Amino acid sequence: MSSIKKRPGGAEIKRKAVAKAKKWEEISKKIPKLGTYFSMNTNVESLITNAQTAVICPNEVTSFENNLPNVIANNNHENTNFESLITNAKTAVICPNEVSYSVKNPPDAIDQNDKNTTIEKTNNKDFTSNSHTIEIFETCTVGVGPICLLANEQNNVSESVETEIPDIDPALWKINSTSINYLLLNPPKQNLKLIHLKKTKRVIGKYVRYLPLNIFYRKMQNGETRFRDWILYSQSKYSLFCFQCLLFGNKKTLFENQVKGFTDWKKCYDKISEHEKSLTHAQSVKSWHLRMINSGQCGIDKEMKKETLNNLSYWKNVLHRVVETLKFLTSRGLALRGQNEHFGSEQNGNYLGCLELIAKFDPFISEHIKKYGNKGHGNVSFLSSTICDEFIILMCKTVFDEITKQVKNRKYFSLIIDSTPDISKTDQLTIALRYVMFDGTPVERFIGLLPSVGHKGKDMKKAVVEKLSNMNIDIKNCRGQAYDNASNMSGMYNGLQSQIKQYSSNAEFIPCSAHSLNLVGSNAAECTPEGTNFIFTAQMIYNFFALSTYRWELLCNLYKDNTNCTQPTHLKKLCTTRWSSRYDVCIALLRGYDKIKDALVTILNDDLQKKETKHEALSILKKISTLEFAFMICMWTPILKRFNATSLTLQSVSIDLSTVVKLYESLESYVKEVRNNFNQYLLESQQLCGKVDFSTKSSRTKKRVLFANETKSKGVVHEGSEKMKNEVFLVILDYLIADLNRRKKSYSNINNNFGFFLNLEKENTENIKIHAEKLIDIYPDDIENDFIEEVIQFKDIICNFSAENKSSVINMLKALIQSQLSSTFPNVEIALRIFCSLPCSNVTGERSFSVLKRVKNYLRSSLSNEKLSALSILSIENTILKQIEWEQIIHKFASGKVTRKKLI
């Protein structure tokens, strides 16, 4: 390819320009129309005019000339002034390869019949050099070069192609617009420490010469030294190059010859000084400076770059408001869309409604809505439901990727799984992961809902393994499982926990501690007939008043008139799944006992009430007026209060199994103390109901029919208070104690493996070795044999910890990390991290059901599974949603959209 070389004489330039003009005139006759492949609002005239102010080298015109006939075939542009293009090249300063780089793609891949075809290229590779990151963002219609944008302003775009990245070696540079733009914004800096002097060895006859490093410094007349930043060393050619001449030089001097480079070490001082003062170097520096002050907005595509950047900035401003609106709505689980998508409509939904509210105080979005709001399909506004759904999925994926990244970085995790049917009767399997953050804080993250998986252990195992595989998380790093006590989950042979252990043998199954505690209370309440009758009567009272607004209002008015009750509590419904409901029922009955009886009496004396209502009220009044009912209220209220407080603590994420064991032991001790309080509860119940004796005292004793050959035995028959104490009170409490002790063992067995850390100061060396060896045997792939020595040394370190830091394993791990001792005790840190990653309950799964009911209600029952899971993740993990910087994602999204422009 020929090139127009810049000469001192003006006559030579004029002669060649005229020759080029004649050649272009011949081309224009063969090609009557141009411009098909140029961008909207950009024509050849403006392209040529812009060349007057562009920084283009003379070789550009030759490259453009030789490639253009192959590119603009079958175009439709007229009135092209080719002579002006060549004439303006005299003042241009662009690299010879820039135009050929822009037009090197042939038009064969373009459908000539489709005038709306757009050739789009985007590059999402990040380049890092000299602590700066730059991204090449390229929108190539034919004749339009790439745009170079800083990464802190622009980020990855949605579609990408491979682009040559400038190497640190100047001999390997491929000089084109992309590399020039990159090097202008990221000028290379020569590191003299990377130069291998032995490889610069040059043997000339009997003399051996090496590259002198002081050649990189210029000594001034006043004695000062200046670093020659224009000299670059090539690691592949072992030679020197001139940075500016290599990019913009017109003569192939030794310092811009990429094939060889400068290697004359004998005359290097003279040649470097000569080149530094030469006209060629001065012209190259001038060209480089012109390109630098234009900040990349140069070239024959200057207007296209400016237009693209303006459009990108505009749509990014729109998307910022869209993202903030979506963050607000999705984090609260609110519905987005309404019955229509028209601005100004009262039924356009929360999403458009919020944008209308913002528009009242934001002139930018207000003007945007007026201009693009109700244009309909086919018009870009970034406010449509399509963009809304795309951004919801994109935001969900970003949050999901952040969770995945955290799990991978911390390695060990535990599974929390539960299931429930939604409003459309579809069974939803919820999955959450528990792991430990870098500061030692355990977290539980919700990762999605899986619909219609099935209730068998194998089906759920298949779904869970597939989910983790899609996240690229190794299930072998699973160290714990927390489910409820259902047989399909907890079964030791075919349950989900046994299926997961086939993949990770150390994935210990831990029953939900809060769920187990709820079962302890519910089972104990139903172990006696009196307990069952109490629960049944309590629910009957609620149903009687709740089914009638008149009766409920009557009871509420009596509560208001009760001046003795400082904390009036309305009746509560008994719920089998809500763990605190039993305490709420008992405390409501205790505080409103008298008013409930007064309300029932009022209903009985009301002649306007139906006979059925009066009969039901009389039946309830008789049942609650007994001493047995009052005794059950007085007995269960303090017990359930402690159970409820313990359950709330067990539902916390920031506890470990050692705390669970302590809480169970404390409850067991409390119930044992309560066994001695029968007389106290009896006195309180007598004062509450106003009766002294139990109804069983006056009842006739039942006699059992004797069988043949059976003698009559004199068994002990309890009556009155003795019967209530021995057959009800002690039976219930003994059942509580036994069940608490039994369920505590599920946590004690695992806690015993790590519990010695809490008593490390009191343990002797032999016991420490035994515990450490046991832990190594359990986790041979995680803990090294050096763990024994580390624990022995750690015993002296832990003495310096505060009492709070030694109170639980989680606090101990945090103290170890904060004191920067993790590198000294790596195996201790791993052991503590594994223990802290073990879940104590599946409350995170239960809480996701509450979000599920809000997100997928009867008005949104047709939500797709993908969108349902996305909205649930954004609502539950709103903390991560608010922490993410959305600038890069907005730029990526906007860049992919703004380049899709129709061509004329």
Side-chain angles (χ1 to χ4, degrees):
M1 181 183 294
S2 62
S3 61
I4 300 177
K5 298 184 179 180
K6 193 172 182 180
R7 298 177 182 276
E12 181 68 17
I13 296 176
K14 183 176 180 181
R15 181 185 64 80
K16 293 196 174 185
V18 172
K20 298 298 179 184
K22 291 181 179 180
K23 189 170 183 180
W24 278 103
E25 185 177 358
E26 295 176 1
I27 297 173
S28 64
K29 292 178 180 179
K30 298 179 181 179
I31 309 174
K33 295 181 179 181
L34 292 172
T36 300
Y37 302 105
F38 292 105
S39 166
M40 286 173 51
N41 305 323
T42 304
N43 51 36
V44 177
E45 287 89 340
S46 64
L47 215 57
I48 296 172
T49 303
N50 291 332
Q52 295 176 347
T53 58
V55 188
I56 310 172
C57 80
N59 295 10
E60 176 187 15
V61 179
T62 303
S63 301
F64 190 66
E65 166 202 348
N66 294 337
N67 288 276
L68 193 60
N70 299 325
V71 176
I72 59 177
N74 301 323
N75 47 62
N76 61 358
H77 190 277
E78 299 178 355
N79 304 324
T80 303
N81 190 346
F82 301 104
E83 185 175 358
S84 65
L85 178 62
I86 298 173
T87 305
N88 290 330
K90 293 187 293 183
T91 59
V93 190
I94 273 191
C95 166
N97 298 329
E98 282 191 277
V99 177
S100 61
Y101 175 76
S102 299
V103 301
K104 64 184 179 181
N105 298 307
D108 298 339
I110 306 172
D111 186 359
Q112 303 296 340
N113 298 324
D114 187 1
K115 294 185 179 181
N116 294 329
T117 304
T118 303
I119 305 177
E120 300 179 7
K121 289 187 179 181
T122 54
N123 186 333
N124 65 348
K125 289 194 174 182
D126 293 335
F127 311 124
T128 305
S129 175
N130 304 330
S131 301
H132 296 285
T133 303
I134 179 177
E135 178 185 357
I136 305 304
F137 168 62
E138 188 176 2
T139 306
C140 283
T141 52
V142 175
V144 181
I147 298 174
C148 185
L149 305 174
L150 285 175
N152 57 357
E153 299 175 356
Q154 335 288 346
N155 204 311
N156 301 333
V157 292
S158 59
E159 301 171 3
S160 61
V161 294
E162 293 294 331
T163 303
E164 292 293 335
I165 305 174
D167 195 272
I168 60 174
D169 191 341
L172 304 178
W173 289 353
K174 293 185 179 180
I175 308 300
N176 51 41
S177 293
T178 301
S179 59
I180 289 176
N181 283 336
Y182 172 76
L183 293 169
L184 287 173
L185 293 177
N186 299 269
K189 293 184 179 180
Q190 183 62 61
N191 188 354
L192 301 184
K193 295 181 180 180
L194 300 179
I195 299 177
H196 301 284
L197 294 179
K198 292 184 179 180
K199 295 184 179 180
T200 64
K201 178 180 178 181
R202 296 290 183 272
V203 179
I204 303 175
K206 61 180 181 179
Y207 297 101
V208 179
R209 299 185 184 276
Y210 296 89
L211 169 66
L213 291 181
N214 56 2
I215 197 66
F216 289 90
Y217 297 91
R218 178 181 178 180
K219 189 173 183 180
M220 307 303 294
Q221 187 68 25
N222 61 356
E224 296 179 351
T225 57
R226 302 289 176 85
F227 184 74
R228 291 185 169 111
D229 55 358
W230 57 270
I231 301 180
L232 301 178
Y233 175 74
S234 172
Q235 298 284 356
S236 60
K237 302 294 183 181
Y238 312 118
S239 56
L240 300 179
F241 294 92
C242 174
F243 172 56
Q244 286 84 1
C245 293
L246 195 60
L247 298 182
F248 302 103
N250 293 323
K251 288 186 177 181
K252 298 298 181 182
T253 63
L254 291 174
F255 290 94
E256 57 181 297
N257 184 1
Q258 282 188 294
V259 178
K260 185 177 180 181
F262 179 79
T263 57
D264 190 358
W265 308 141
K266 178 181 179 181
K267 302 178 181 180
C268 63
Y269 292 100
D270 297 334
K271 293 294 183 179
I272 291 290
S273 179
E274 179 183 341
H275 178 79
E276 198 170 34
K277 301 174 183 178
S278 66
L279 180 61
T280 301
H281 181 73
Q283 291 292 339
S284 299
V285 173
K286 179 182 177 181
S287 301
W288 169 77
H289 178 67
L290 289 175
R291 288 291 290 266
M292 289 290 291
I293 62 177
N294 282 332
S295 301
Q297 293 296 326
C298 54
I300 61 176
D301 59 342
K302 179 178 179 179
E303 292 298 322
M304 182 59 187
K305 295 176 184 178
K306 183 178 180 180
E307 180 189 355
T308 302
L309 289 178
N310 290 338
N311 289 339
L312 185 63
S313 177
Y314 179 85
W315 293 116
K316 283 173 64 177
N317 286 331
V318 175
L319 287 176
H320 273 296
R321 287 141 175 97
V322 171
V323 168
E324 292 302 321
T325 303
L326 289 176
K327 285 170 60 178
F328 172 79
L329 294 174
T330 56
S331 62
R332 289 161 175 80
L334 299 176
L336 300 175
R337 297 166 62 180
Q339 295 183 5
N340 58 59
E341 298 181 25
H342 300 295
F343 284 96
S345 172
E346 296 181 355
Q347 299 177 342
N348 56 11
N350 293 330
Y351 171 63
L352 296 183
C354 286
L355 291 175
E356 289 176 340
L357 180 62
I358 296 173
K360 291 183 178 181
F361 309 96
D362 187 348
F364 173 81
I365 196 66
S366 176
E367 189 65 26
H368 178 76
I369 292 175
K370 291 179 181 178
K371 187 175 181 180
Y372 299 100
N374 294 325
K375 281 197 170 184
H377 296 288
N379 296 281
V380 179
S381 67
F382 279 11
L383 305 177
S384 65
S385 59
T386 303
I387 294 296
C388 176
D389 290 344
E390 287 185 21
F391 239 101
I392 288 174
I393 300 301
L394 182 60
M395 293 167 68
C396 171
K397 185 179 183 301
T398 305
V399 174
F400 190 78
D401 291 343
E402 178 64 22
I403 296 174
T404 303
K405 178 182 176 182
Q406 293 178 3
V407 175
K408 288 183 178 179
N409 289 338
R410 303 308 292 155
K411 188 175 182 179
Y412 303 113
F413 66 93
S414 295
L415 288 170
I416 300 174
I417 300 174
D418 207 343
S419 65
T420 189
D422 59 21
I423 192 68
S424 63
K425 302 299 184 284
T426 302
D427 188 70
Q428 299 286 351
L429 186 73
T430 180
I431 305 177
L433 301 180
R434 178 185 171 98
Y435 54 94
V436 180
M437 299 295 288
F438 285 98
D439 61 352
T441 303
V443 294
E444 294 178 1
R445 302 297 188 192
F446 173 76
I447 61 173
L449 296 167
L450 301 180
S452 303
V453 171
H455 294 284
K456 294 183 178 179
K458 291 183 179 180
D459 297 334
M460 290 186 288
K461 178 262 299 183
K462 181 180 179 181
V464 172
V465 172
E466 184 179 355
K467 180 72 173 180
L468 295 178
S469 177
N470 294 336
M471 296 173 65
N472 293 324
I473 296 177
D474 191 357
I475 195 174
K476 293 182 180 179
N477 294 326
C478 179
R479 292 295 175 267
Q481 311 172 66
Y483 317 130
D484 56 24
N485 292 272
S487 60
N488 62 336
M489 308 288 280
S490 60
M492 60 183 302
Y493 298 108
N494 296 319
L496 177 60
Q497 64 106 350
S498 63
Q499 300 289 332
I500 296 297
K501 281 191 174 183
Q502 295 177 3
Y503 293 88
S504 177
S505 58
N506 289 328
E508 298 290 344
F509 168 63
I510 303 169
C512 174
S513 58
H515 190 267
S516 297
L517 188 62
N518 180 57
L519 292 177
V520 171
S522 61
N523 293 339
E526 298 173 358
C527 67
T528 61
E530 288 77 6
T532 305
N533 292 334
F534 170 73
I535 295 175
F536 178 77
T537 304
Q539 184 63 32
M540 183 186 297
I541 296 172
Y542 174 82
N543 293 338
F544 177 75
F545 285 98
L547 291 177
S548 171
T549 56
Y550 166 76
R551 296 194 289 267
W552 188 266
E553 184 178 2
L554 173 64
L555 182 61
C556 292
N557 292 333
L558 291 174
Y559 276 135
K560 294 178 182 179
D561 298 337
N562 188 7
T563 57
N564 297 327
C565 184
T566 57
Q567 294 180 336
T569 304
H570 296 289
L571 292 176
K572 302 295 183 181
K573 180 181 179 180
L574 188 65
C575 180
T576 56
T577 58
R578 190 170 296 278
W579 299 326
S580 61
S581 65
R582 287 178 174 78
Y583 170 69
D584 295 336
V585 169
C586 289
I587 193 65
L589 291 175
L590 179 63
R591 291 175 177 174
Y593 181 81
D594 293 335
K595 297 306 174 183
I596 294 173
K597 291 176 64 175
D598 293 343
L600 293 172
V601 172
T602 303
I603 294 172
L604 283 173
N605 297 329
D606 189 355
D607 296 333
L608 299 178
Q609 296 296 322
K610 296 180 180 180
K611 292 183 179 181
E612 294 83 356
T613 304
K614 291 184 176 182
H615 177 74
E616 187 175 358
L618 179 60
S619 176
I620 296 175
L621 181 61
K622 290 181 178 180
K623 290 181 179 179
I624 67 174
S625 299
T626 60
L627 184 58
E628 288 85 348
F629 186 84
F631 180 84
M632 297 299 289
I633 294 176
C634 295
M635 181 192 74
W636 273 117
T637 300
I639 294 176
L640 291 178
K641 183 178 180 180
R642 301 315 315 152
F643 269 65
N644 184 56
T646 304
S647 179
L648 293 176
T649 305
L650 293 175
Q651 296 173 37
S652 174
V653 176
S654 57
I655 63 171
D656 52 51
L657 289 180
S658 62
T659 305
V660 174
V661 174
K662 291 178 181 178
L663 289 174
Y664 268 72
E665 289 176 347
S666 64
L667 268 182
E668 186 178 351
S669 300
Y670 169 75
V671 176
K672 290 180 180 178
E673 293 294 329
V674 170
R675 290 182 88 255
N676 303 321
N677 297 340
F678 176 79
N679 293 331
Q680 176 185 343
Y681 295 146
L682 178 61
L683 180 61
E684 292 177 0
S685 60
Q686 289 173 346
Q687 294 175 353
L688 181 64
C689 68
K691 293 187 177 181
V692 180
D693 298 326
F694 291 97
S695 59
T696 55
K697 183 176 182 180
S698 58
S699 63
R700 182 175 61 87
T701 304
K702 295 181 181 180
K703 296 182 180 181
R704 184 174 62 85
V705 178
L706 300 179
F707 292 96
N709 300 327
E710 183 180 2
T711 59
K712 184 177 180 180
S713 61
K714 295 181 180 180
V716 179
V717 178
H718 298 291
E719 292 184 355
S721 60
E722 289 297 324
K723 181 176 182 180
M724 177 60 69
K725 179 179 180 180
N726 294 297
E727 296 184 8
V728 178
F729 179 74
L730 294 180
V731 171
I732 292 176
L733 295 185
D734 290 342
Y735 191 96
L736 286 174
I737 296 171
D739 210 11
L740 283 171
N741 184 57
R742 179 175 64 86
R743 295 185 183 274
K744 181 186 65 176
K745 293 179 180 179
S746 301
Y747 314 105
S748 300
N749 294 336
I750 302 174
N751 180 64
N752 291 337
N753 297 331
F754 299 87
F756 70 94
F757 278 107
L758 297 176
N759 301 317
L760 200 60
E761 295 178 275
K762 302 177 182 178
E763 297 283 352
N764 56 44
T765 304
E766 292 299 324
N767 289 337
I768 292 176
K769 288 183 178 180
I770 294 173
H771 290 299
E773 290 174 354
K774 181 180 179 181
L775 211 55
I776 294 174
D777 293 338
I778 297 174
Y779 301 100
D781 298 331
D782 302 318
I783 302 176
E784 300 174 348
N785 292 328
D786 296 338
F787 176 65
I788 300 175
E789 286 73 19
E790 288 184 18
V791 176
I792 295 174
Q793 182 185 358
F794 186 65
K795 176 183 177 180
D796 297 329
I797 298 296
I798 203 174
C799 295
N800 300 322
F801 287 1
S802 64
E804 181 181 358
N805 291 335
K806 293 184 290 186
S807 61
S808 67
V809 178
I810 292 178
N811 293 337
M812 190 180 297
L813 176 60
K814 290 180 180 179
L816 178 65
I817 295 174
Q818 292 173 0
S819 58
Q820 299 181 354
L821 294 174
S822 299
S823 58
T824 307
F825 305 97
N827 290 290
V828 172
E829 189 269 340
I830 291 174
L832 296 178
R833 177 151 46 100
I834 291 175
F835 183 69
C836 293
S837 66
L838 298 178
C840 301
S841 66
N842 64 342
V843 176
T844 302
E846 297 284 348
R847 288 172 179 158
S848 67
F849 298 157
S850 301
V851 176
L852 175 62
K853 290 183 178 180
R854 293 200 307 269
V855 173
K856 191 173 183 179
N857 51 38
Y858 74 99
L859 292 176
R860 308 168 72 187
S861 59
S862 60
L863 271 178
S864 65
N865 294 323
E866 181 184 16
K867 190 174 181 180
L868 172 62
S869 184
L871 291 173
S872 300
I873 290 176
L874 295 177
S875 178
I876 296 172
E877 302 302 336
N878 57 78
T879 304
I880 298 179
L881 178 68
K882 296 175 182 178
Q883 293 175 350
I884 293 176
E885 290 292 337
W886 296 100
E887 174 65 27
Q888 297 180 356
I889 298 172
I890 289 174
H891 174 75
K892 175 182 177 180
F893 191 88
S895 300
K897 301 291 183 181
V898 77
T899 57
R900 298 177 183 175
K901 299 178 62 178
K902 295 182 180 179
L903 302 180
I904 40 179

